[in-house]
Each structure stands twice: as C-alpha cells, then as structure tokens.
Amino acid sequence: METWQILVAAGIVAFIVEIFTAGFIAGSAGIGFFFAAIGSYLGLSTPWQILFFAAGMALTYFLIRPLINKFGYKEPVKTNRDALIGKTGKVTEEINPETHTGRVAIDGDDWKAMTAGNESIAKGATVEVIEIDSIILIVKPLN
Amino acid sequence: MGTLIVLGALALFVFIFALSGFKIVQQAEVMVIERLGKYSRTLHSGINIIWPIIDKPRNITWRYVVEGMDDRKHIRFKQKSKIDLRETVYDFPRQNVITKDNVSVQINAILYFQIMDPVKAIYEIENLPDAIEKLTQTTLRNVIGELELDESLSSRDTINTKLRTILDEATNKWGVKINRVELQDINPPEDIKEAMEKQMRAERDRRAAVLEAEGQKRAKILEAEGFRESEIKKAEGEKQSEILKAEGQAQARIKTAEAEAKAIKLVSEAIEEKSGNPINYLIATKYIETLQEMVTGKDNKTVYIPFEATGVLGSLGGIKEMFKQ
C-alpha cells in the first residue's frame, strides 16, 4: 500500500463526506488530498505533500465560486422580493403623491404603492412593479 | 520534525479557513455580512465566499412555537444567521380586547408576514418577532375598540384592511410586510353569549307572532268578504223574489179587475134590458157582501148597521122594481 494510494482513498472518503454535508468544505479537503497524492506519486517528501494539500485546498477555495457561477446556474428562479418586480397588479386605492396614499393588489396581497414620477393613478388601473423600496412598491401604469 | 508541525498547522489553518469561508445560502434565504462590525454586503442564494477573520454574519432573532405536552404553546427565541424571506405565520396567544360598547372579548389572531428588506429587519429593530407581535396586538386593540361587538363579529374584512393599513405604516422602516392578520375566533363572555341567544330567540318569536297575526287578519278579511258576498246574494235573491211576487200580484189583480169588469158589463147589460139601473144593483150586492164580512168575524158581538140603512133598503126596493116588470 503506497502513500499516494492512501491519500487518494482519503480524498474519495472526503468526497463521500461531502455528499452528506453541504458547503463544499469536505470537497475542498478531498481535492487537497488528491494534490497531496500527486505530490506523493512524484516522490516528494512529506512536508511537500502537506504543502500540496494546503495549496490544493486554497486553490479550490478561490476558484470554486467563479467556476460554479459560470457553469452552475443558468437562469435563477426568482422568489419573494425579486419575484414581485415585473408583476402586474390592480390599483385598489388611488395613487396620489400629494397625500401619500395609494394601494395595489398583487397575488391576493395588498401593498402600499407609489409612482416613480410625481403622477397619480386612478383606482382600478393596471400597474407594473418596477422597484421596491422596503415595503412600498414603485409602480408605473401599464399601457 | 519542526517543519512538519508548522506545515501541519498551516494545512489545518487552510482547512478551517475554507471551512468557515464557504457560505452556501439557499434559495429564499439571505445572509447579512459585517466586515469588522460594519455592514458590508448581503449574500444571496448560491455559493458565497467570505473572509473568515474579518467578515462575520449578523444574527437575527427568530421566534419558534413549540407545542408542549399539555397543548400549551411555548415560545422560543433563537438566533439565526440565515434570514428567511418566505412568508411566515405567527400564532398569537389569546388576548382580551374591549369593544366600543364595553364588552371584554377574547380574540385569537394569526399573522402572516414576510421580510422584504433583510438589512432593515436586522439593523432597524432589535427583536423583530416580538416587536411585530406587540405592535399587532396593540393595533388590534385600537381597531376593535372603535367597533361595537356586533360590528366586530360581522366585519372581519374591514378589521383586516384597517390593520394592514396601520401596520404597513409602522413596519415600513423595519422592512417587514405584514400580509394579513386573520382573526381565528372572537369569543364574547358567557353571559353576553346567553343574551345574544335570548335576543335571537325573541326575534324568532316576534316573527312567528307577526306571521300568525297576519294570517289571522287575512282569514278574518276573507271571512268578512265571504259574508258580505253571501248577504248581497241573499238580498238580491229576496229582491228578485219580491219583484216577481209583486208582478204576480199585479197581474192577478189586473186579471180580477178585467174579470170583474166583464161581469159588471154582463150584469149591467142584463139589467139594462129590463130597463133598470145597474148601479143600484151593484151597490146593493156590495152592501150585502160587506155586511156579511162584518158579521162573520170571530168574537164579533157587535153588529154594524150602516147609518143610511134606508139608502140600502132603497136600493133593495129598486131591485124589487126590477123583478116586478
């Protein structure tokens, strides 16, 4: 049983651990073990192997996010707050910038609403959400 | 050996560094990161990397309800570094509220809220769940306090709308949207409940009495109408029969008069042949007939003799003259 074989086995075990945990921590350790295994296979001394291990982990640490962001996600599904932007709703109370009133109904919920420009929108009109300021929707009339 | 330890420590450091530097945030969660105590950025879903020593996630207080053994709800507060952006429901314990007409009611409310702005939810308010709960309870008190008991029982929709409007104003700076407040049940005290039932019963009784009276009224009217119609019919029948009787009598009298006329004519003709006065004859016969009538009454002990008996005898004499010729 060579040292590099033990290290490869350790790397595989680390990846198995990764399956049951989240966060790619054991995974990066596994990659570190593979680096150490390469060092061992090339016949380098133990300090070098440990250094290889650390370097492998550090590399993973810095390269994993750009890689995953590049290939991992295509089109993220928008939920909660992000999902509201672009939705259309009906004005349930006249939007009036002078009195700071105005409410819009979207998906069965009732929101306070304002317009981006200083314009007022009559009750019953259809509007589109363009932005959210805390819990106030910034809307524009949908023509 | 020394280098081995140093390198081992280095490897361990790198390992732990990586361990705490990777942050995987799930969909619909965010993490607020502070760099040396200052707000730095918000991590969104996906894989994120922070600098473990200088970056720290800031915790938020979260409320959990744990059902106890004896159906009692225990509220636990926990510190969480991941902030949930999904709609969350809070079940309040029962609370006593006084309505406008001074009835103390027990209200059980449920609240649905959603964090819209995690940064505000962390930095603008210290204990968010507690604050939401207390705010909702006091607002609920105000809204119910403006309504009478009957109104509060029947206008949940109005209560909900009012609450939302008021709560929106308050929670705007916390970045929290309270979507709805639902009243599970409104329990008036027992004696009020009894009074309400009594009222309901009295109302039903009233309706029954009114209906009965109306029925009786209709019946009486119908009866009277029937009576009236029958009386009219009866009177009409009587009228008809009277008319017919009168007509019959008139015809009978005409017939007798005609017969009499014929008889007189015949008598007078017969007498004229004997050159006598028929008037005398007729008067005499009438006199005798009348006398007969006067005498033949029951208990009649009085006999009326005409004053001018001589006139009668005279006419009798006239008759005698007739036969003599």
Side-chain angles (χ1 to χ4, degrees):
Chain A
M1 193 97 184
E2 297 282 332
T3 318
W4 66 270
Q5 290 168 329
I6 294 168
L7 286 171
V8 167
I12 291 167
V13 167
F15 269 100
I16 291 167
V17 170
E18 171 61 32
I19 290 169
F20 295 104
T21 59
F24 211 73
I25 294 133
S28 61
I31 289 170
F33 279 125
F34 289 145
F35 268 70
I38 292 166
S40 158
Y41 185 74
L42 295 173
L44 297 169
S45 61
T46 316
W48 276 106
Q49 286 176 26
I50 294 170
L51 208 65
F52 263 58
F53 171 80
M57 271 181 71
L59 258 173
T60 318
Y61 183 76
F62 289 115
L63 294 178
I64 192 85
R65 190 162 168 266
L67 280 172
I68 285 184
N69 280 355
K70 205 167 176 179
F71 304 108
Y73 314 118
K74 282 295 162 237
E75 280 209 5
V77 177
K78 288 194 181 330
T79 51
N80 322 92
R81 182 202 165 115
D82 306 327
L84 269 171
I85 293 171
K87 271 202 175 152
T88 54
K90 239 188 171 62
V91 180
T92 54
E93 188 191 331
E94 189 205 6
I95 297 171
N96 190 336
E98 284 169 22
T99 53
H100 291 288
T101 54
R103 296 191 82 82
V104 171
I106 294 172
D107 284 351
D109 286 336
D110 197 53
W111 298 80
K112 199 170 158 62
M114 278 165 45
T115 47
N118 265 355
E119 51 188 324
S120 54
I121 302 174
K123 187 181 167 179
T126 313
V127 288
E128 189 186 347
V129 182
I130 48 175
E131 206 185 320
I132 303 171
D133 171 24
S134 186
I135 62 164
I136 301 173
L137 307 181
I138 315 292
V139 296
K140 71 167 199 281
L142 198 73
N143 299 322
Chain B
M1 190 66 208
T3 44
L4 207 66
I5 290 168
V6 170
L7 283 170
L10 181 76
L12 191 71
F13 170 75
V14 171
F15 179 71
I16 290 172
F17 193 88
L19 196 112
S20 57
F22 274 130
K23 292 282 178 211
I24 287 195
V25 181
Q26 287 176 292
Q27 183 79 36
E29 281 184 342
V30 291
M31 208 181 253
V32 171
I33 300 296
E34 288 174 345
R35 178 158 295 180
L36 300 174
K38 249 186 173 174
Y39 169 71
S40 153
R41 65 196 187 277
T42 307
L43 305 183
H44 294 278
S45 57
I47 192 159
N48 292 280
I49 288 177
I50 60 170
W51 293 102
I53 294 159
I54 51 172
D55 286 348
K56 286 259 185 309
R58 177 71 187 249
N59 288 344
I60 190 170
T61 316
W62 210 249
R63 175 183 182 273
Y64 292 96
V65 174
V66 185
E67 291 266 359
M69 294 290 288
D70 47 351
D71 271 359
R72 282 179 58 193
K73 286 172 184 161
H74 299 281
I75 295 164
R76 299 251 184 287
F77 288 103
K78 269 189 191 166
Q79 296 287 321
K80 275 173 59 173
S81 63
K82 286 176 179 170
I83 300 157
D84 206 328
L85 297 182
R86 293 174 299 182
E87 209 164 322
T88 312
V89 58
Y90 277 174
D91 190 352
F92 294 162
R94 293 182 172 278
Q95 55 167 337
N96 280 321
V97 178
I98 294 172
T99 59
K100 194 179 176 180
D101 41 4
N102 292 329
V103 180
S104 171
V105 243
Q106 280 210 321
I107 282 195
N108 198 353
I110 279 188
L111 172 92
Y112 291 84
F113 78 96
Q114 192 176 5
I115 293 180
M116 296 300 293
D117 193 333
V119 177
K120 280 185 174 172
I122 283 186
Y123 292 114
E124 297 289 339
I125 180 84
E126 182 256 335
N127 186 342
L128 179 72
D130 202 36
I132 290 175
E133 189 179 327
K134 296 286 182 290
L135 175 74
T136 313
Q137 284 185 344
T138 48
T139 316
L140 195 57
R141 262 161 216 259
N142 287 346
V143 172
I144 300 269
E146 286 167 7
L147 295 170
E148 306 215 325
L149 178 63
D150 290 351
E151 287 175 318
S152 65
L153 289 168
S154 60
S155 53
R156 290 182 179 209
D157 218 16
T158 322
I159 294 172
N160 207 334
T161 313
K162 267 189 183 171
L163 277 174
R164 267 205 312 250
T165 316
I166 299 169
L167 292 172
D168 267 5
E169 297 291 326
T171 59
N172 184 24
K173 72 177 206 303
W174 304 342
V176 172
K177 167 77 184 163
I178 294 176
N179 287 325
R180 46 175 55 86
V181 181
E182 296 291 347
L183 301 178
Q184 278 181 288
D185 49 2
I186 303 174
N187 273 336
E190 279 304 316
D191 51 346
I192 298 278
K193 263 190 200 166
E194 274 171 31
M196 279 159 95
E197 273 171 24
K198 264 188 198 160
Q199 186 188 344
M200 191 266 291
R201 244 178 267 135
E203 171 65 22
R204 301 239 177 255
D205 287 350
R206 187 187 69 92
R207 277 190 224 164
V210 166
L211 282 171
E212 211 175 304
E214 273 184 352
Q216 279 177 356
K217 178 182 153 190
R218 288 286 312 157
K220 282 210 169 109
I221 287 172
L222 283 170
E223 222 173 282
E225 276 181 351
F227 182 71
R228 177 181 149 214
E229 272 183 31
S230 80
E231 288 289 294
I232 287 171
K233 287 262 192 304
K234 230 189 258 176
E236 275 183 348
E238 276 174 15
K239 177 184 155 190
Q240 284 284 339
S241 78
E242 290 283 312
I243 287 170
L244 284 169
K245 266 186 204 162
E247 276 180 351
Q249 277 178 353
Q251 280 186 2
R253 280 176 71 178
I254 287 167
K255 285 266 192 300
T256 32
E258 276 176 352
E260 222 169 300
K262 257 190 183 168
I264 288 169
K265 209 178 172 186
L266 286 171
V267 167
S268 57
E269 273 175 7
I271 286 170
E272 268 175 11
E273 275 177 23
K274 307 258 179 184
S275 70
N277 195 351
I279 304 291
N280 279 343
Y281 166 79
L282 284 170
I283 288 173
T285 47
K286 276 276 177 208
Y287 253 113
I288 289 163
E289 273 172 23
T290 318
L291 267 173
Q292 211 177 1
E293 259 174 52
M294 282 155 98
V295 177
T296 53
K298 204 188 154 198
D299 307 326
N300 235 347
K301 294 196 172 67
T302 328
V303 177
Y304 295 94
I305 299 286
F307 184 68
E308 278 196 334
T310 47
V312 181
L313 294 174
S315 56
L316 287 175
I319 296 168
K320 201 179 96 177
E321 288 284 318
M322 274 184 2
F323 291 109
K324 269 186 182 170
Q325 289 164 6

